[in-house]
Amino acid sequence: VSSVAFLSTPAFPARTLPQQASSQRLTPSLGLRSPILPAKLSSSSRRSINGALSLSAKVKAEYIWIGGRGGGGDDYRSKTRILNKMPSSVEDLPLWNYDGSSTGQAPGEDSEVYLKPAFMCPDPTRSGDAILVLCEMLNPDMTPIPTNTRTGAAKIFEGHEAEEPWFGIEQEYTLFQDGVPLGWPKSGARPFDAT
């Protein structure tokens, strides 16, 4: 047997594998079909691979919130939290925190801002168990920070559950004439100093 043999579970029955390789096999309980690993691994490589494999049984929760510029479409923030199991409701999700001074949402001397989960749904961009978690931002005393607009919206909707809200989508169109936006000069883009 060479010093580095590859093993693929369950490609070979255990009785045909060299003694050294069979002791390193992955267990089927990990839910992996055919991982390929070198039979001889250093202890640091083994710890690294085992850590990656154990992560596959966890849930990735992407906590998302609005940054200090008010969420004008360009200041959405997020970070991933690894959970041991899939939450059954948003109430099962833990509070989290971040440094609000780095987002312009808290002073440097008291910068703790808490993320309170308000909504969750499956994450369509990740494989495996992954969810998106939309959050409210709260001060340490659990009052909303000034840029937390969800609290104001919740007060408006509270007590009106029987109402059916309507939301309008703004649709923008550009009309073209001869391959140029209507009203634009034919020579190219409008100069910045033009009125």
Side-chain angles (χ1 to χ4, degrees):
V1 177
S2 67
S3 61
V4 178
F6 285 89
L7 100 104
S8 176
T9 315
F12 303 104
R15 66 183 180 279
T16 63
L17 290 173
Q19 179 63 31
Q20 178 185 26
S22 65
S23 65
Q24 305 260 337
R25 282 185 297 130
L26 294 174
T27 61
S29 64
L30 292 174
L32 302 172
R33 293 229 163 160
S34 185
I36 297 177
L37 298 173
K40 274 191 162 181
L41 294 174
S42 68
S43 61
S44 63
S45 295
R46 194 175 303 115
R47 279 192 305 273
S48 175
I49 289 171
N50 287 340
L53 292 174
S54 66
L55 184 62
S56 67
K58 307 286 184 175
V59 177
K60 295 175 220 83
E62 189 72 21
Y63 279 55
I64 303 167
W65 69 97
I66 298 173
R69 292 193 300 259
D74 63 348
D75 194 19
Y76 296 102
R77 297 172 181 258
S78 73
K79 60 182 186 173
T80 303
R81 183 168 189 152
I82 305 301
L83 305 173
N84 289 324
K85 64 178 186 170
M86 181 64 75
S88 57
S89 71
V90 73
E91 288 79 22
D92 295 338
L93 290 162
L95 285 175
W96 206 5
N97 65 325
Y98 66 95
D99 177 8
S101 66
S102 63
T103 63
Q105 294 174 297
E109 64 276 356
D110 186 21
S111 63
E112 190 88 358
V113 176
Y114 285 91
L115 295 171
K116 179 184 176 191
F119 174 80
M120 72 176 196
C121 65
D123 185 341
T125 64
R126 289 184 169 162
S127 60
D129 288 335
I131 56 174
L132 299 176
V133 181
L134 302 183
C135 300
E136 290 192 68
M137 299 83 62
L138 305 173
N139 292 309
D141 65 359
M142 296 298 131
T143 58
I145 67 170
T147 57
N148 181 357
T149 56
R150 187 183 181 284
T151 302
K155 286 180 182 175
I156 292 170
F157 287 112
E158 190 175 301
H160 301 282
E161 289 81 10
E163 298 290 329
E164 184 179 330
W166 286 25
F167 297 93
I169 297 172
E170 179 181 348
Q171 297 180 357
E172 295 183 5
Y173 298 92
T174 302
L175 301 177
F176 286 85
Q177 184 176 32
D178 300 325
V180 178
L182 192 61
W184 282 63
K186 303 271 189 237
S187 61
R190 186 177 300 173
F192 288 108
D193 59 350
T195 55

